[in-house]
Amino acid sequence: MKRALMYFVFGTLVSFLLQYFLIGSQGWALDLYYAAAFGAAWGIAFYLDTPRISLPKKLGFSFLAMAILAGIGTLIFNLEMAIPSIMKFSIVFVAYYLLASFKGSKSLRR
């Protein structure tokens, strides 16, 4: 759990700094929201990267996380601004498991 939190914090920090300083800021609040979606994807994917959790449960948990991101984004900003966070989350989540699929253990933890 601690390492998953570390992935979340590190992913959020790196994503925020890249977006805010290098790519172009859309406002610090929106940049932080998008960075949190990126960090959450890495943290959740790492946390779920265990053979004890079945693939349908992993997918269900990722859809729940995306729904929560959409809800928070819609409350703070609007749905139009929340959609990119869902896209960032899903791309990072799938990328994590794509990278894991190339390993013999099918996990990035081992």
Side-chain angles (χ1 to χ4, degrees):
M1 184 70 162
K2 289 180 183 181
R3 288 188 66 192
L5 182 62
M6 182 184 70
Y7 271 69
F8 167 73
V9 170
F10 185 71
T12 300
L13 182 65
V14 169
S15 179
F16 177 77
L17 292 174
L18 286 173
Q19 181 70 33
Y20 192 76
F21 292 111
L22 295 178
I23 298 172
S25 179
Q26 299 175 346
W28 70 269
L30 189 59
D31 290 344
L32 185 60
Y33 171 66
Y34 290 157
F38 183 90
W42 278 112
I44 291 170
F46 180 80
Y47 180 73
L48 296 175
D49 189 12
T50 176
R52 296 186 317 258
I53 301 173
S54 67
L55 183 60
K57 285 183 183 179
K58 291 176 184 179
L59 292 174
F61 198 75
S62 72
F63 284 129
L64 176 65
M66 286 188 282
I68 291 170
L69 277 172
I72 292 170
T74 302
L75 288 174
I76 297 173
F77 305 105
N78 60 35
L79 185 59
E80 186 177 301
M81 301 300 257
I83 298 296
S85 71
I86 298 166
M87 292 171 53
K88 287 178 189 251
F89 180 92
S90 60
I91 289 169
V92 172
F93 196 82
V94 168
Y96 182 95
Y97 284 103
L98 180 66
L99 290 172
S101 73
F102 288 115
K103 289 186 67 179
S105 65
K106 304 296 182 209
S107 172
L108 292 181
R109 281 190 175 193
R110 292 182 245 154

